[in-house]
Amino acid sequence: MSVVQLTDEERSTWLSTLEGWEMAEGKDAIQRTFEFGDFIEAWGFMSRVAILAEKQDHHPEWFNVFNRVEITLTTHDADGLSLRDVHLAKAINAL
Amino acid sequence: MSVVQLTDEERSTWLSTLEGWEMAEGKDAIQRTFEFGDFIEAWGFMSRVAILAEKQDHHPEWFNVFNRVEITLTTHDADGLSLRDVHLAKAINAL
């Protein structure tokens, strides 16, 4: 899968299809925050994301506290956003 | 379990027993970073911590990217460090 940075045009096209995701501040990355009823629900979600990520060989930067999960996606190999991030974000949204 | 903030004396006593943990910067919390061989190992560790945390009804603030896990412990109900953090840190170290 491409590890080339998205062009400006690709970014705006893709971002408009990724519900809930927005550009991170000060970083060429996209992010989304998810909130759940409690830690067990948040953890269940994270477990599903973990397996998706490992299958895609593309891993999130993520933060959790209790029922909140903040996910940031960027592609270190591309030094910025790539299609890998788009694919993982789409898969996460589909959960 | 006590949700009272640790006294200065308790802090230095407890911290000296918590291998690898240090005070967080700008926050009344302790933190430790763990590194693993890959994401699967890091995730395995996190899964064990998640169950410990839920059992103790005390949840970490944590960040993961690939093989690195950064854990911060503080007690929101005490507005700072409490024995709950010490107990969870000890349990994590015992993994």
Side-chain angles (χ1 to χ4, degrees), chain A residues 7-70:
Chain A
T7 64
D8 287 347
E9 193 180 339
E10 287 169 331
R11 272 152 211 265
S12 45
T13 305
W14 281 118
L15 255 184
S16 66
T17 71
L18 295 175
E19 193 188 334
W21 293 81
E22 54 185 21
M23 291 298 300
E25 266 187 51
K27 190 169 187 172
D28 192 20
I30 52 175
Q31 60 186 19
R32 182 170 178 184
T33 297
F34 297 84
E35 292 210 351
F36 299 89
D38 57 23
F39 178 73
I40 292 179
E41 281 185 27
W43 185 255
F45 167 76
M46 290 178 74
S47 299
R48 299 170 78 189
V49 172
I51 292 170
L52 281 179
E54 184 63 24
K55 277 176 71 178
Q56 296 193 6
D57 194 21
H58 188 54
H59 303 88
E61 299 178 14
W62 50 355
F63 173 84
N64 160 247
V65 57
F66 194 53
N67 67 333
R68 198 170 84 242
V69 182
E70 298 170 12

